[in-house]
Amino acid sequence: MFELTALDLARVQFGFTVSFHIIFPTITIGLASYLAVLEGLWLWKKDSVYRDLYLFWSQIFAVNFAMGVVSGLVMAYQFGTNWSYFSTFAGGITGPLLTYEVLTAFFLEAGFLGVMLFGWNKVGPSLHFFATVMVAIGTLISATWILASNSWMQTPQGFEIIDGRVVPVDWLKVIFNPSFPYRLAHTSIAAFLATALFVGAAGAWHLLRGRATPAVRAMLSMAMWMILIVAPIQIAVGDAHGLNTLEHQPAKIAAMEGHWRNEPGQGVPLILFGWPDMAAGTTRYVIEIPRLASLILTHDLDGQFPGLMDFPAQDRPNATIVFWSFRVMVGLGLLMLLLGFRGLWLRWRERLYDDRTFLRFTTMMGPSGTIAILAGWFTTEVGRQPWVIYGAMRTEHAVSNHSALALSATLLIFVVMYASVFGTGIGYMLKLVAKGPQEGLGVENMPNHGQPPHAARPLPADPDNIRPAIR
Amino acid sequence: MGIDLPLLWTFVLTFGLMMYVVMDGFDLGIGILFPFVRDRSERDTMVNTVAPVWDGNETWLVLGGAALLAAFPLTYSVLLSALYLPLVAMLAGLIWRGAAFEFRFKADEAHKPFWDKAFAWGSYIATFSQGIALGAYINGFEVRDGAYAGGLLDWLTPFGLFTGLGLLIAYALLGATWLVMKTEGPLQRRMRALARPVAIALLGAITIVSLWTPYAHAEVAARWFSLPNFIFFAPVPMLVLATTCTLLKTLGDDRDVAPFLLTLLLLFLGYTGLIISLWPNIIPPAVSIWDAAAPAQSMGFALAGALFIIPCTLAYTAWSYYVFRGKVRTGEGYH
Ligand code: HDD
Ligand code: HEM
Ligand code: HEM
C-alpha cells in the first residue's frame, strides 16, 4: 500500500522545504564569517590576495543568500499553513522567538547586506568592514533564535498548559532549555565546517587544474586549518550532545543505536551496521562491538540504557531512518577528521598544494558537510517523532485540516519549483566557483551586478584606489 | 494592569504591514512594470534601484508572519490555513522573483530573457495573490472550535479577484513613481507618462472597493454610515480625491520626489479606510483582537523587544537608503 495520508504529506512537505532551506543558511553562516575574516585580514595586512578572495566569495555569497531568503520565507509561513493546530497551541512560545529572530537577525542581515555587496564606492573601508561584520553577526543571531525554538520543541520546559494552549511562565527556561546549548554549538560548528569543506574543495579543484595562484593556495590553506581545528571539536560536541539526548529523549538514542532490549547484567554493544526492523522489533544483520555503546553512553562497561522495547510501540521513532542517518553523519565526521590530519601532515611535508590524491579527496569532500548536516537534522527530527513538542503534542494533532489532494498539489508545486529554481541557482554558484578568484580585480570591475548600483562618484581609474587609506 | 497588550500589538502589526506594502510594493511594482520596458539596460537600471534594499523590504513580510504568530496565534492559524492556496502562490511568486534578482545578472546571455520573464511573472503572481488574500480577509472567514472551518477555495470570489487587480495597480503606481524619483532621462519620462493613467486607475479601484465593501457587508456599512462615525470618516474620500489630483499635477510639473510621496499618502488613506471597516476584528467578521490574543506573557515578552528594536531597525534601514540615495543612471559602468 502506498497510500499517503494528509499528515504524511504535510510532513513530507515540511521536511522537503526545510531540508532545501537549511542548505543555504549553513553556507550563509559560514561564508559571512569567512568574508568578515578576509576583509579584516585585508585591512590589516593590505595583501591584495584577501581582497581578491573577498570579491570572489562575496558573489557566491550573494546568490546563496538570495536562495536562503526566499526558501526561508516559505518556512515562516508553513507553521500556519500546514501546522495550524501546532501554531494555535504553541504560538505563544514559538511566535515570540521567531519575532525576535526577525527583529534582531533578519533585519540586521538585510539592512547591511546592501552596503556589503554594493557599497564599495559609497562608504569608507572601515564602514564597509563594519557592514560585513554586522551581516556575519546577524546570521549567527538568527541561528541562535531558531535553534532555541527548535530545541524547546525537543526538550520543552518553562511553560504550563492552560485552556488547551501553551503559556510561557519562565522565558529564560524556555530559551535555555536543556538541549539548546548543545544544538547551538553543534549546528554553528557544522556551518563553519560545511563552508570550510566547500571552500577547500573549490581550492583543490583549481589546484588540480594547475591554477596555483596565491589566492587559490590561500583558500585551500585557510580551509584546511579550519577543518583541522573544528572537526575534532565537532565530534566532541556531538558526543556531549548525545549524552544530553540520552537524558531527555532516551527513545531517540535507542533508535540511533538500534538498541531494542537490555540483557540482564550485560553491557550494550555498539552496532556498527545493521538493519533495524520496526515490525519485528529487532536489528538484523548486525556487526557489533561488545559493550562499546555502554562505554560511550554510560562510561561503564556494564551500564545499561533504555531500549526501544521499553517504550510503547506508538511512542517509538522510526529506528530504520534514525539509525542510518546517524551513521551517515558520524561516518562523514570521521572522514573530515581524517582530511584535517592528512592536510596537516602534507603541510608539514610541504606537499599540501601538490598531492593529487589529497586534492581529489578534498574536492570530493566538498558537499560532505552539507550532507552531514542534513543527516544530522533527519536524526534529530525523525528521532523526535511521534511528538512535535516532545511529550506535549503529537505530530498527528498538529496538522491543519487540508485534504490530501490540496497537499499533493502544493507538494508538487514545491518539488518542481525547488528543483528548477534552486537547482539552477546551485548551478550558477558552481559556475562562479569554477571561474576562480581573479587577481588584482578592482571593485569597480566586479562582474557582480555590472556596476555598483549607482556610481555617484567617478570610479577610480586605478584599481588600487579603493585600497584602504590606513597606514 | 491597564496596558492593553492586544491593542498595542495591533498598532505594531498595522505599522509592520504598512511598511511591507509600501516597501515591497515599489520593488514588486518594478517587476510589474517590466513588460512596459523592453530595453535590457533600462531594465537593469530599474532592478539596480532596488537591488541593495529589496531583501530588507521583504523582511517586513516575515515580521508580519512572525508577529502575528506571537501576538495572535489563532489568527495566524486561521488566516494561513484559510488562505493556503493563495499563500503558496504568493510564496512561489516571491521565490521566482527573489531568485531572479540574482540570477538575471549571473546567467548566460541566452538565459537572461528567461530570468527577466521570471522576475515579471513572479511579481505579478505574488502581488495578485496578496490582493486576493486581502479581498478574502475583508470578506471574512468561517471559524469553528478555534480553527478554520471553511473550504479550500473560499477565497475565490469576484471581490477577491478585483482586489487582486487593485493591488497590481497600486504596486505599479508605487513602482512607477519610485522610478520617477530614482532615475532620469528616457526611462524617467516613460515612467512619468505611465504613472498618470495608473494613478487614475487606482483612484477608480479604491472607489469601487470602498463602495463594494459596505454594499456586500451590512456591518461595515453600519460602521461607516452611522453618526458620528460618518462625520469623522467623511474626510477620507475627500483626501483621496485631493491627493490623486495633486499627484497628477506633480507628475505633469516634472517633480521627482513628490509623486512617490503622494502615492504613499494615497495608499495610507486607503489603508485607514480598511482599518475603519474592520475594527476591532482581527478575523472578520466575528473574532476581535482581544478574543484572538496570545497569553499576556507571550505578548509582553515580544512587545518589549519590538518597541525597543524596531526604532533601531528603522534607523539603520534609513541609513542604508541614505547610502544609496540619488539617481541611478542607465548603462553607467555596465560592462
Ligand atoms: C542554523 C540556522 C537556521 C535554521 C535551522 C533555519 N534558518 Fe532560516 N535562515 C537562517 C538560518 C537558519 C539565516 C542564516 O539567517 C538565513 C539564511 C540565508 C539568509 O538570508 O538568512 C535564513 C533565512 C530565513 C528567512 C528569510 C529571512 C529574510 O527575509 O532575510 C526566514 C523567514 C527563515 N529563514 C525562517 C526559518 C524557519 C521558519 C526555520 C525553521 C523551520 C528556519 N528558518 C531554519
Ligand atoms: C533546518 C534544519 C532542519 C531540518 C533539515 C529539519 C528536518 C525535518 C524533517 C525531515 C521533518 C519531518 C520529520 C518527520 O515527519 O518524520 C521535520 C519536521 C518538523 N520540524 Fe524540522 N528540520 C529542521 C529545523 C527545524 C527547526 C529549526 C524547526 C522549528 C523551529 C523545525 C520544526 C519542525 C516541525 C514543526 C516539523 C513538523 C512536525 C513533524 O513532522 O515533526 N525544524 N523537520
Ligand atoms: C562524528 C561525530 C558526531 C557525533 C557523535 C554527532 C552527534 C550528534 C547527535 C547525537 C545528534 C542528535 C542530537 C539530538 O537530536 O538530540 C546530532 C545532530 C546533528 N548533527 Fe551531529 N554528530 C557528529 C558529527 C557531525 C558532523 C560532522 C556534522 C556536520 C558537519 C553534524 C551535524 C549535525 C546537525 C546539523 C545535527 C542536527 C541539529 C542538532 O540536533 O544539533 N554532526 N549529532
Side-chain angles (χ1 to χ4, degrees), chain A residues 23-89:
Chain A
I23 296 176
F24 307 118
T26 42
I27 301 296
T28 298
I29 295 170
L31 273 187
S33 295
Y34 183 50
L35 289 170
V37 170
L38 285 173
E39 192 167 10
L41 283 173
W42 173 46
L43 291 177
W44 179 36
K45 298 195 170 166
K46 298 186 205 114
D47 181 344
S48 67
V49 162
Y50 297 115
R51 187 195 55 196
D52 297 345
L53 278 178
Y54 184 100
L55 293 182
F56 172 59
W57 283 107
S58 70
Q59 292 173 55
I60 296 153
F61 177 80
V63 178
N64 184 70
F65 194 94
M67 293 195 281
V69 168
V70 292
S71 61
L73 205 59
V74 175
M75 300 319 305
Y77 280 78
Q78 224 164 46
F79 291 126
T81 53
N82 290 15
W83 307 104
S84 60
Y85 286 95
F86 162 76
S87 300
T88 316
F89 178 69

Side-chain angles (χ1 to χ4, degrees), chain A residues 183 186 190 234-235 238 241-242 245 252 256 329 333 372 376-377 380:
Chain A
R183 188 160 285 111
H186 199 57
Q234 178 71 335
I235 292 175
H241 198 353
T245 305
K252 188 190 274 181
M256 277 161 29
M329 169 180 70
W377 275 108
T380 297

